[in-house]
Amino acid sequence: MNKYSLLSINDLSTHDIMEILHDARVFNISQQDWHLPMHNALAANLFFEPSTRTHYSFESAEYQLGCSVADFNSASSSVTKGETLYDTAKTFEAIGYKVLVIRHPQDEYFKELEDISIPIINAGDGKGNHPTQCLLDLYTMYDEFGTFEGLNVLICGDIAHSRVAASNKDALERLGANVRFCGPKEFEREGFEMSDIDESIGWADVVMMLRIQRERGATLGEMSDEEYLHQYGLDHRRYAMMKENAIIMHPAPVNRGVEIASDLVECGKSRIFKQMENGVLVRKAVIKRAFGYKPFRED
Ligand code: CP
């Protein structure tokens, strides 16, 4: 595996994470475009699962850096003729691509790609990892509070199926934040201690809501959307219990009126669309790193 691959947030030390966040910040404030040399900048986005934010923010980041981008469509590719993920990735390497961004429904799909020499950026594997979502979440929190030390983060909802919950737990705890989880008992996960949302909502500096991942088999039987919102979601009663300076986050897509009341999605405390904006900055930093460029700041 290439040393610039990013498969899990655990591939990065806290020092690496802070360098990426710093590079993203430089991309945000810099007045000058920073471009890769064109002749060497071929990136392929291989998405085997639906995506809006991750797919198109990687594409935006790649174009902004001057990459030539291959937008792969698995339904019209030779995957439909039985070609494996390994042979697909190997093909892109053979025909000159220098970086692969991959989302795939299989947990740790990247283990079968160990012989691929070019960097692979994991854009989500099953319910395993989503390192660039984690980095953009971290960027959004750091931008807001200027530190992770002692920050209280409450992650609510379908913890069992969420690669966002898993990636954020690992990174935030290493960076000194306190992380609590809450949600229905059907969505509990080994290693994730659950707490009561009503007891924790006033404790949190960050309230991160997660949708129910029905595509991974998550179900709550006959429970209506209204009942879910009332029992486990961020409704107006709980919103009123939040700290004055607390923020609301959500990796999206949002199911409005299920895990969060629709009109809270764009309320003053919400950073949900800001997270998407930050996703492009962070992905620019990750692509720059994948092409072997040093951090803007080295200390
Ligand atoms: N947050 C996230 O991964 O969104 P997409 O599935 O739209 O990429």
Side-chain angles (χ1 to χ4, degrees):
M1 196 59 82
N2 187 289
K3 67 176 177 174
Y4 295 117
S5 287
L6 177 56
L7 307 176
S8 156
I9 198 71
N10 289 330
D11 294 345
L12 301 173
S13 65
T14 54
H15 182 79
D16 297 333
I17 289 172
M18 295 311 292
E19 281 181 343
I20 290 172
L21 301 192
H22 182 264
D23 276 10
R25 183 169 155 71
V26 171
F27 280 127
N28 193 26
I29 58 179
S30 169
Q31 298 302 309
Q32 282 193 318
D33 286 339
W34 190 94
H35 275 182
L36 294 151
M38 284 296 286
H39 66 277
N40 197 28
L42 275 77
N45 300 327
L46 313 183
F47 278 69
F48 296 86
E49 254 193 0
S51 168
T52 299
R53 272 146 296 276
T54 312
H55 191 157
Y56 295 100
S57 61
F58 262 114
E59 196 166 298
S60 174
E62 289 156 353
Y63 280 125
Q64 287 182 48
L65 292 175
C67 295
S68 298
V69 182
D71 201 13
F72 169 83
N73 178 352
S74 63
S76 61
S77 76
S78 289
V79 170
T80 59
K81 302 175 207 165
E83 191 160 50
T84 63
L85 174 62
Y86 174 81
D87 285 337
T88 303
K90 191 76 188 165
T91 298
F92 274 93
E93 180 178 3
I95 61 181
Y97 284 83
K98 303 300 182 196
V99 168
L100 302 179
V101 176
I102 303 180
R103 172 175 286 192
H104 197 280
Q106 184 186 313
D107 285 11
E108 298 189 321
Y109 68 79
F110 41 80
K111 284 193 169 162
E112 54 186 85
L113 302 181
E114 277 170 7
D115 292 337
I116 301 294
S117 310
I118 56 176
I120 294 170
I121 301 170
N122 182 11
D125 62 290
K127 56 184 177 4
N129 306 269
H130 197 347
T132 59
Q133 177 69 44
C134 179
L135 287 165
L136 77 86
D137 291 342
L138 295 176
Y139 182 92
T140 305
M141 291 179 212
Y142 197 74
D143 193 39
E144 194 75 33
F145 297 103
T147 184
F148 296 107
E149 200 62 51
L151 198 67
N152 293 339
V153 181
L154 180 64
I155 304 181
C156 310
D158 182 359
I159 307 301
H161 302 95
S162 175
R163 52 198 176 202
V164 176
S167 296
N168 273 316
K169 179 180 191 299
D170 292 339
L172 282 165
E173 288 179 347
R174 279 194 287 143
L175 289 161
N178 309 305
V179 190
R180 289 188 191 174
F181 299 92
C182 55
K185 64 174 177 9
E186 290 85 342
F187 297 159
E188 288 180 6
R189 182 168 181 162
E190 200 179 335
F192 292 66
E193 197 177 322
M194 302 297 277
S195 53
D196 182 87
I197 188 169
D198 288 322
E199 284 171 16
S200 294
I201 197 105
W203 163 87
D205 299 302
V206 177
V207 176
M208 184 182 291
M209 305 307 298
L210 303 174
R211 77 184 167 87
I212 303 171
Q213 300 212 16
R214 299 185 200 278
E215 75 276 23
R216 297 190 208 287
T219 173
L220 285 172
E222 299 296 303
M223 186 179 283
S224 68
D225 293 350
E226 292 75 16
E227 185 57 19
Y228 184 86
L229 180 63
H230 176 70
Q231 281 203 38
Y232 304 109
L234 185 61
D235 59 6
H236 284 267
R237 182 179 66 83
R238 294 196 178 106
Y239 178 76
M241 294 160 71
M242 287 177 65
K243 283 183 191 171
E244 190 179 340
N245 294 325
I247 62 169
I248 299 167
M249 293 175 62
H250 191 313
V254 175
N255 289 143
R256 288 175 181 250
V258 185
E259 68 273 11
I260 181 169
S262 182
D263 60 352
L264 295 181
V265 173
E266 294 173 73
C267 71
K269 288 185 187 305
S270 173
R271 299 293 179 271
I272 296 173
F273 286 93
K274 189 72 186 168
Q275 285 172 265
M276 300 177 204
E277 208 179 304
N278 293 340
V280 179
L281 303 172
V282 160
R283 288 174 176 128
K284 283 171 82 169
V286 168
I287 300 261
K288 166 179 166 280
R289 176 180 177 276
F291 276 98
Y293 288 87
K294 290 187 186 329
F296 290 130
R297 179 185 73 187
E298 284 191 278
D299 48 24

